[in-house]
Amino acid sequence: HGAALHAAVAAADLVVTTYATATRDAEELATITWRRLVLDEAQAVKNSRASAARAVRRIDAEHRVALTGTPVENRLSELWSVMDVLNPGLLGTADRFRERYAVPIERHGSDEAASRLRTITRPYLLRRLKTDPTIIDDLPEKIEITQHYRLTPEQATLYRTVVDDMMEKIEDAQGIQRRGNVLAAMAKLKQ
């Protein structure tokens, strides 16, 4: 099976796979030196302990690129995980990253730690905004559909509890800590 894969890859200009297949076939994919590894929807590797992230880390590639619309949703450890797939060791170990950046930024709102992290990651990030006039024509029209739902009394109580808790937490919070609390509350409300 390995010889057939090597022959097929040698004859191809481009190999496309899913995270599920890459996870299942990680052993074989790791035996090939790839010219370039491109991770689309790279938030799939945001949890460094997830099987997809572990599988992709094993792939030997000369160049690595990640594409994602949401590099960080809940915690800075997600940024560490994606960056560690792309540039292993750049942000140190997971524990060191947590100590130097995640805890100071997420818990204490440290602007100094956030600035250091931006300085380190900026050369590796290409970011385009939806408002950029050079890409606005590429985007389809936004479609909004409003649907109204009634919450059960239990859901309404839970919803109110989450909102009240969030308002209490963000009242005195600033910057990234405030945004982190709002995002955490939104995730709870979705659940």
Side-chain angles (χ1 to χ4, degrees):
H1 190 65
L5 176 65
H6 279 266
V9 167
D13 290 326
L14 175 69
V15 176
V16 178
T17 188
T18 64
Y19 287 104
T21 302
T23 300
R24 188 190 68 220
D25 297 340
E27 200 72 38
E28 286 183 80
L29 294 174
T31 65
I32 299 169
T33 299
W34 300 88
R35 177 110 192 273
R36 184 169 294 116
L37 173 66
V38 178
L39 304 175
D40 193 20
E41 301 298 339
Q43 63 270 19
V45 298
K46 69 182 182 183
N47 178 348
S48 63
R49 285 176 248 121
S51 55
R54 288 196 324 266
V56 168
R57 255 188 200 88
R58 296 181 56 202
I59 295 174
D60 183 18
E62 293 175 39
H63 304 103
R64 294 165 179 253
V65 176
L67 307 169
T68 180
T70 51
V72 178
E73 290 178 301
N74 299 310
R75 301 204 179 313
L76 283 175
S77 62
E78 296 173 3
L79 173 65
W80 178 87
S81 183
V82 174
M83 289 297 289
D84 199 59
V85 168
L86 300 176
N87 293 300
L90 177 73
L91 296 176
T93 64
D95 289 338
R96 184 78 172 125
F97 178 80
R98 196 174 307 108
E99 175 188 309
R100 288 193 78 197
Y101 302 106
V103 170
I105 294 169
E106 293 172 346
R107 288 200 193 139
H108 309 295
S110 171
D111 291 333
E112 189 264 331
S115 177
R116 261 194 345 254
L117 181 59
R118 266 193 301 278
T119 299
I120 292 169
T121 58
R122 185 173 285 131
Y124 302 97
L125 302 176
L126 295 176
R127 184 172 179 222
R128 58 184 209 173
L129 303 173
K130 290 179 183 178
T131 54
D132 184 340
T134 61
I135 67 155
I136 199 73
D137 294 336
D138 294 345
L139 296 172
E141 285 299 315
K142 184 175 182 179
I143 299 171
E144 291 186 21
I145 300 171
T146 303
Q147 293 182 317
H148 298 281
Y149 295 94
R150 288 195 177 278
L151 297 177
T152 66
E154 182 185 10
Q155 289 172 324
T157 301
L158 289 169
Y159 189 93
R160 173 60 29 210
T161 302
V162 170
V163 170
D164 290 345
D165 183 52
M166 177 195 65
M167 294 307 286
E168 191 177 303
K169 283 182 179 174
I170 69 169
E171 193 172 326
D172 297 322
Q174 299 291 323
I176 199 162
Q177 184 178 20
R178 183 183 180 101
R179 288 192 295 273
N181 287 331
V182 171
L183 288 172
M186 288 171 63
K188 286 180 187 174
L189 292 172
K190 285 180 188 176
Q191 293 169 357

